[in-house]
Amino acid sequence: MAEKNAIPGEMTAIGIPVPGGPEALVPERRPVPVPGPDEVLIKVAAAGVNRPDVMQRQGKYPPPPGAPDIPGLEVSGFIVAAGGSAELLVGQQVCALLPGGGYAEYAVAPAGQCLPVPDGYDLVEAAALPETLFTVWSNLFERAYVVEGDTVLVHGGTSGIGTMAISLCNLFDIKVIVTCGSDGKCEQAKAWGADHAINYRTHDFVEEVKRITGGQGVQAVLDMVGGDYVPRNIQCLAEDGRHVSIAVMGGPKATVFLPTLMSRRLTLTGSTLRPRSVAFKSLVADELMRVVWTFVEQGRLRPAMDSRFSLADAAKAHACMDAGDHFGKIVLTV
């Protein structure tokens, strides 16, 4: 293992002694992790807050085998140590996708899941990129294979996922329709770049999608709701359309009329990112470097930022997310 700076034996990290509300997040002293072969140790500058962190805090989403019990799936910072062939990366400024452990002063990441942060790019903003960027790219652009000229429907238009989907669709000339829970959030989504925003509390999004698309429907739906949204999403799809599920916040079961899928040649698919292999996530990182990272370097791809909290105030950050009034990403600074 190569080292750049003296590394302490202990660090401050956020633990979850007992699952529960935001108050369940407690600062603790933990040993600084040691990177294994092809892993790097990052001195964390900032960590993104994501919905899976909330579910882990509530006891509904345990870390996958081998992952730290410290929450946090994305960080930015400087590589200060590395194992094996990754030692050449020591000293680099990166953002990284993690299996866990981001709410801490130091975190270990697979080298293949790190992306270089360009000079002049805000490290706090960089911490808000990996989780949503990997998720939207691998699901909307790879699984749903959307292309220039398509129209997509994305639920949760002002969430971290929704705002990242809007940004990527704008970069690749894809029209995006989003749903939001208020007129105010609809205006925020449109100001961020959504072509259309539907208040699902006051309008039937199925009828609105049909109206917007002239009855043709959308080529893809990115859904994090599940439950009874699935058959309604199917009604929004054009022929040969693709429906991608990435969460089930509205329920894990749905009733689908199979002849509709067959006659209109629809595809239902989905994925979860956190348990996927390092090899898969590294392939996604490679594709992002080749296809997307130029936009980051040019400053054309930045996350929608809502608020910043100190690491010690992780409970306040989660209370903010639980309230549901945020626009874009919430980030912890270290």
Side-chain angles (χ1 to χ4, degrees):
M1 181 175 74
E3 296 188 4
K4 181 188 178 188
N5 301 309
I7 299 168
E10 288 190 343
M11 65 179 183
T12 298
I14 301 298
I16 310 173
V18 180
E23 70 283 354
L25 299 174
V26 179
E28 299 176 347
R29 296 298 291 173
R30 296 284 192 99
V32 172
V34 177
D38 303 319
E39 291 183 335
V40 299
L41 179 67
I42 299 171
K43 182 175 174 55
V44 177
V49 176
N50 293 284
R51 187 63 58 181
D53 304 339
V54 172
M55 294 175 64
Q56 180 176 336
R57 184 202 81 209
Q58 295 169 336
K60 299 176 181 178
Y61 190 17
D69 64 344
I70 299 166
L73 303 179
E74 59 184 349
V75 298
S76 66
F78 291 88
I79 296 175
V80 294
S85 61
E87 62 185 18
L88 296 176
L89 300 177
V90 172
Q92 289 195 15
Q93 179 174 272
V94 297
C95 59
L97 184 71
L98 312 177
Y103 290 15
E105 293 179 309
Y106 291 86
V108 165
Q113 293 173 206
C114 295
L115 292 165
V117 177
D119 290 340
Y121 200 98
D122 185 344
L123 271 175
V124 179
E125 290 189 10
L129 282 173
E131 172 68 11
T132 56
L133 182 55
F134 275 71
T135 298
V136 174
W137 185 261
S138 62
N139 286 286
L140 195 56
F141 287 79
E142 292 182 342
R143 299 195 73 79
Y145 49 91
V146 295
V147 295
E148 179 181 348
D150 280 351
T151 300
V152 302
L153 171 65
V154 178
H155 293 295
T158 58
S159 67
I161 293 289
T163 51
M164 178 58 72
I166 291 169
S167 295
L168 286 173
C169 286
N170 286 342
L171 290 173
F172 292 95
D173 295 320
I174 296 162
K175 292 183 178 179
V176 58
I177 304 168
V178 300
T179 63
C180 306
S182 70
D183 290 342
K185 286 199 168 189
C186 285
E187 291 305 315
Q188 286 180 304
K190 287 191 288 187
W192 188 250
D195 294 281
H196 302 274
I198 303 165
N199 183 342
Y200 64 81
R201 298 185 190 277
T202 58
H203 293 77
D204 181 340
F205 72 79
V206 175
E207 294 304 317
E208 286 297 294
V209 168
K210 289 179 180 178
R211 179 187 63 80
I212 291 166
T213 62
Q216 296 301 305
V218 298
Q219 279 67 51
V221 175
L222 184 65
D223 178 58
M224 58 192 76
V225 183
D228 63 4
Y229 262 48
V230 175
R232 297 171 69 194
N233 291 336
I234 289 172
Q235 295 180 59
C236 296
L237 286 172
E239 291 195 352
D240 296 297
R242 289 83 67 189
H243 181 288
V244 185
S245 297
I246 59 171
V248 289
M249 295 174 63
K253 295 183 179 180
T255 300
V256 174
F257 188 63
L258 292 176
T260 298
L261 270 64
M262 296 158 60
S263 63
R264 301 178 59 218
R265 303 174 303 282
L266 306 180
T267 298
L268 296 185
T269 184
S271 74
T272 53
L273 181 62
R274 190 178 187 185
R276 296 297 297 269
S277 68
V278 170
F280 170 80
K281 294 174 188 176
S282 298
L283 286 174
V284 176
D286 288 344
E287 186 166 0
L288 291 172
M289 276 296 299
R290 287 186 285 106
V291 183
V292 177
W293 215 245
T294 297
F295 298 114
V296 177
E297 294 169 341
Q298 295 171 347
R300 296 175 60 192
L301 180 60
R302 291 186 178 274
M305 299 295 289
D306 182 84
S307 50
R308 306 179 183 197
F309 295 85
S310 69
L311 180 65
D313 287 332
K316 293 181 180 178
H318 273 230
C320 180
M321 177 163 276
D322 285 357
D325 296 326
H326 60 287
F327 174 78
K329 294 300 292 278
I330 299 168
V331 176
L332 301 176
T333 59
V334 180

